[in-house]
Amino acid sequence: MRDELKKRKYRSTDEIITRIREAALVEFKANGFERSTTASIAKRAGVTEPQIFRHFGSKAKLFRSAIFETLSEQLDEISKEFHWEETGLMDSRRKTGSLRHTERLQAFLLENSDLIKSLFIANAYGAFEAPQVGVDDSLANYFQLGTSIMERQSPATEGVPPRIMVRVSFGAILGCVLFREWLFPSGVASEDEIMHGISQFVFSGLDASHPERRTA
C-alpha cells in the first residue's frame, strides 16, 4: 500500500488527466453516461474522486472530454481524407475515391458506435445544459468541406443541393451502422457485402446532386 501511494504521489498532472480520460472512455463506452460513476472511473484510473472533480469539474464535463475529444480527433482525420475528391475529376477516379471514403467512414462509425450511442443517450437524458462544441464542430467542418468539394465539381446544378446531400449521405451511413443488427441480421450478408453495398448506395445517391451525370 505504501509503495502504491508513493507511485501516485509522483504522477504528473498530465499523467493523471490522461489516466482519468482513458478510464472514463472505457466506463462510458461500456456503461453509458447514466450508469457510469465517478467512483468506478476513479478506481479504474487509480486516482481519487476529488482528483476527477479537481481536473474536470463534473461527470458531464469529463464525458465531454473523454467522448467528444476522442470522436472529434478521429473525425478530423476522416475530414482530411476528403481532399482526394478535389483531384478526382474523372468519374472512375471519383467513384474509387467515393467508395474508399465511405468505407473509411463506415469503419470509423462502427469502431465508435458505442461511444456515439452513449452520446445520444446522454443528450436524451439532458446531461448537457447547453449546445456543445467538439464533435459538433468537427462534424460541421466535415459537412462544410464535403459541400465545398461537391460545389467545385459541379458549380451549377439543378439537383439536390450539396449542403443537403452531404448530410443525407452521412445520415444514411450512420443509420446503417447504429441499426446494423436490426437491418442486417445474421445470414443476410457478409460484413464485406454490407459495407460495399452501403458505399455503392451512397455513391449512387451522390449523383442526385449531379443530374448531368445521370443523363450523360
Side-chain angles (χ1 to χ4, degrees):
M1 177 64 72
R2 182 176 299 176
D3 290 340
E4 183 179 352
L5 291 174
K6 186 176 181 181
K7 289 180 180 178
R8 289 185 184 181
K9 184 177 179 179
Y10 291 104
R11 285 177 186 159
S12 68
T13 298
D14 288 343
E15 182 183 357
I16 291 172
I17 291 175
T18 297
R19 290 177 68 91
I20 293 172
R21 285 190 69 221
E22 290 176 347
L25 190 62
V26 174
E27 289 290 326
F28 287 133
K29 184 174 181 179
N31 304 310
F33 179 80
E34 287 296 313
R35 289 186 297 156
S36 296
T37 66
T38 51
S40 63
I41 294 170
K43 182 178 180 180
R44 181 180 292 275
V47 301
T48 64
E49 280 190 89
Q51 285 178 302
I52 291 180
F53 292 109
R54 183 183 309 128
H55 293 294
F56 294 94
S58 67
K59 187 174 79 168
K61 289 181 180 179
L62 174 56
F63 183 91
R64 293 179 200 133
S65 179
I67 303 297
F68 277 71
E69 290 181 24
T70 297
L71 291 177
S72 292
E73 290 168 2
Q74 295 184 48
L75 188 55
D76 284 341
E77 289 298 315
I78 296 290
S79 297
K80 293 176 183 178
E81 297 177 6
F82 227 144
H83 286 290
W84 53 258
E85 290 212 44
E86 295 188 36
T87 56
L89 301 180
M90 297 174 60
D91 280 349
S92 60
R93 293 176 62 190
R94 188 177 69 90
K95 181 174 182 178
T96 299
S98 293
L99 295 178
R100 184 174 66 248
H101 177 74
T102 54
E103 289 178 357
R104 176 70 180 90
L105 183 58
Q106 284 185 70
F108 160 73
L109 294 174
L110 275 170
E111 180 182 350
N112 295 283
S113 59
D114 289 339
L115 301 184
I116 295 170
K117 290 174 184 176
S118 293
L119 184 61
F120 288 162
I121 293 172
N123 279 319
Y125 277 97
F128 308 120
E129 297 178 356
Q132 301 304 310
V133 297
V135 175
D136 289 343
D137 284 352
S138 295
L139 195 54
N141 292 336
Y142 175 88
F143 289 152
Q144 183 177 8
L145 179 57
T147 298
S148 64
I149 290 172
M150 292 175 69
E151 287 176 340
R152 283 197 295 273
Q153 287 190 338
S154 184
T157 177
E158 296 179 358
V160 179
R163 68 180 183 280
I164 295 177
M165 183 52 63
V166 70
R167 288 167 169 80
V168 170
S169 299
F170 183 90
I173 297 173
L174 179 61
C176 286
V177 168
L178 294 184
F179 299 102
R180 200 176 191 83
E181 293 181 1
W182 293 358
L183 297 173
F184 308 103
S186 178
V188 169
S190 68
E191 286 298 313
D192 288 343
E193 289 173 329
I194 294 171
M195 181 170 287
H196 184 67
I198 294 171
S199 297
Q200 288 283 3
F201 173 82
V202 170
F203 175 77
S204 298
L206 289 173
D207 276 347
S209 63
H210 301 283
E212 71 281 358
R213 292 196 177 106
R214 291 181 284 129
T215 58

